[in-house]
Structures are given as structure tokens and as C-alpha cells.
Amino acid sequence: METKIFQSEELDYAAKLLKNGELVAFPTETVYGLGADALLPESVKQVFQVKGRPSDNPLIVHVADFEMTKPFVEKYHPLTEKIVQYFWPGPLTLIFPIKKNSLSPIVTGGLSTAAFRMPDNKKTLELIQKTEAPLVGPSANTSGKPSPTTAEHVFHDLKGKIAGILDDGATQIGVESTVLDLSGETPVILRPGAVTKEKLEKVLQTKIFLDKHLVKESETPKAPGMKYKHYAPDTPVLMVGDEDWDQAIKWGQKNRKRMALLAGPSIAAKYQVADRYVFMDDTVEAATHGLYSGLRALDEADGSDVILAQVFTENELGAAYMNRLKKAAAQNYFDKN
Ligand code: AMP
Ligand code: MG
């Protein structure tokens, strides 16, 4: 199969392909999604096959507006209206209990709840409208690899396996959406993202809880997808604390490691190592934006023994950045002792 790259003037054609059951990757503000009509179980099955995604990991249903969730949702949490008004379109996925048989168990992993999001990307919202159906859209990468933040990343992983990719340049945020469970009495964050705990608490004036897995790694996560080792490049990644860079570099030199560096300009300016991916600036926003691109680039830059990566404090957006980085690093920090 030839994988076509679509520009915005080809939206009608891309929507037609989706209606015919084909897979088309789409841009969002977080990462690129692998789109299929959520109401065509055979197409949704293909999404799992193409990605190599475990079938117990349910998909997010992407909608063009809140109205589109209504045929599926059994009951909305009392905070829903306020949350949707404030955060949609945006990087916030909401979990609701659903009406029996309203969505295929292939989409929901057989759960009685489902995940919904309205992405903040004009072209993709138009694509959903033109398809006249919600779209499933897991990250458009091979399962276990860093999520794609450009159409080129999608092409690299899925060329020949999907009908097309709607290209809209690099995504803005760079990591997947926050997943907020609204199926119980109290809202719980199952996956941290750009809509942070702090932001939600400020807007909603209520305490937002974290899934116990986010507090203690060994606990079973409520979001099935969170249990998988995600986002891992082939080269081992070591996280380096701010104070430990000198020693990490010395350790690498002493042990003749070919080191790659993933960090902001202030850290990068101090060290000359083989391969480098420098974030746009020293902020956590820039680091989050560059995290997956950086991991991919360094992994392909052949021959590094280890990727040394910058850490951030685990609050606000830093919680999302560190959640993904820890998975890429299989929890490993450079240990100066
Ligand atoms: P992805 O599409 O790869 O960004 O992953 C979607 C995330 O949402 C995964 O971690 C899923 O396990 C999670 N998810 C989707 N539906 C549900 C649900 N009904 N309950 C809990 N987690 C869900
Ligand atoms: Mg994914």
C-alpha cells in the first residue's frame, strides 16, 4: 500500500478514505494520532494490528464537539460542563461510563467506560466533521516506540501500512493528553499531560486525585495502557539530576561510553559529546516539545551507548515530562555512587 501525505486541501479525500474503512493519521496539538472511524470495528481492529498494540489497551474516541459524545455516554459527572467549557478543544481526555453496546468492545477493551477528547487542531476537527463519525486515534507509532510529533515520524513507523497522513507540521505540546477519569465520584488523573493537576484544581476549585500508579510505580494503573513500557528508544536512557552532570560525563569518558545528550541549551553548552539533541530553550515546555523527537533522533544517530537526559521537577508540566522520560529510561537514573 502506498502511504500518501495529505495537505489541508485534500481533507475531503482523506475523509472519504476513513469512511471507506481505511486508516489515516492525523495531527493534534499533543502527538499525531492513527485515525480510523470509531464506528467501524474492522477498521479499529486494523489500528491494533498496524501498531502492534495490545488489544486490552482501549482507544481514545476523538470528537469534533461535545455534542458528539452524547450518543455514547450513559452519565456525565457534574463537573463535565465546566471542564469541557474550559479545556476543550485541548489536551484533556475524559473517561465516562458508556451506554451498553454504543461502542464496539474493540474500542473500549471491553470496559463499561470510554475515553473521549476534542483535539485542538483545526484540520483534524474538520476531518472528523467531514467523516461524519468520531475517530479513534492512538499515537501513530509502532507500539513501544516514542510517539510521533511530526508527519515524518509517522511515515517512518507506518509507511506502507496505512492509506495516508494528514500533515500539519510539528505538534505543539509533544506528549499525549492528560487522561482524567470522570466515571467515579471524584475526578482522578490516570495519565499526566499538559492540562496539569494544578491547572484543573485552580479552575475547578476542587481537589484532583492522582491514580495510585502515578504516586507509586508498583501499583496497578487504572488506565490499561499505563502498564506498558512505552516510549522506549533502542539505546538505553539514563536520567541525570541537575547536580550530577559533571560526574555523569566523567563516568562516560572513563568507561569509554559513546554518549548522547538530551538537554536544554545551558547544560548542552558545557559538554561536548558524540550525539546531541538540544531543546529549544531551558523551559520544561521546550523539553516536553522536544522529548520524543529527541529520543527518536538520538536513537537513529547510530552508535551511542547511552542517552543522558535532563530531568525536571515533577510538578505542573514537569509531571508529564518526567512520566514519559521515566518510562523511556526504564526508571534508571545516573547514580553517582
Ligand atoms: P493512547 O491512545 O495511546 O494515547 O492511549 C490512551 C490511554 O487512555 C491509554 O493509557 C488507555 O489505557 C487509556 N484509556 C482509554 N480508555 C480508557 C478507559 N475506559 N478507562 C481507563 N483508561 C482508558
Ligand atoms: Mg501511544
Side-chain angles (χ1 to χ4, degrees), residues 148-190:
T149 58
T150 65
E152 289 75 25
H153 295 160
V154 181
F155 194 75
H156 174 274
D157 281 18
L158 302 180
K159 63 175 172 295
K161 296 180 175 174
I162 62 174
I165 304 165
L166 179 59
D167 188 359
D168 193 30
T171 65
Q172 293 81 44
I173 293 167
V175 297
E176 302 81 353
S177 59
T178 305
V179 176
L180 184 68
D181 186 359
L182 288 180
S183 68
E185 222 168 281
T186 43
V188 181
I189 292 179
L190 305 186

Side-chain angles (χ1 to χ4, degrees), residues 51 53 57 138-141 147 176 191 230-231:
K51 279 181 57 75
R53 182 176 173 108
N57 189 4
S139 50
N141 54 306
S147 296
E176 302 81 353
R191 174 173 77 183
H230 261 71
Y231 326 117

Side-chain angles (χ1 to χ4, degrees), residues 122-137:
K122 268 202 185 133
K123 292 180 189 176
T124 290
L125 291 176
E126 219 181 310
L127 182 68
I128 299 169
Q129 269 154 1
K130 285 182 189 278
T131 309
E132 297 173 311
L135 301 178
V136 296

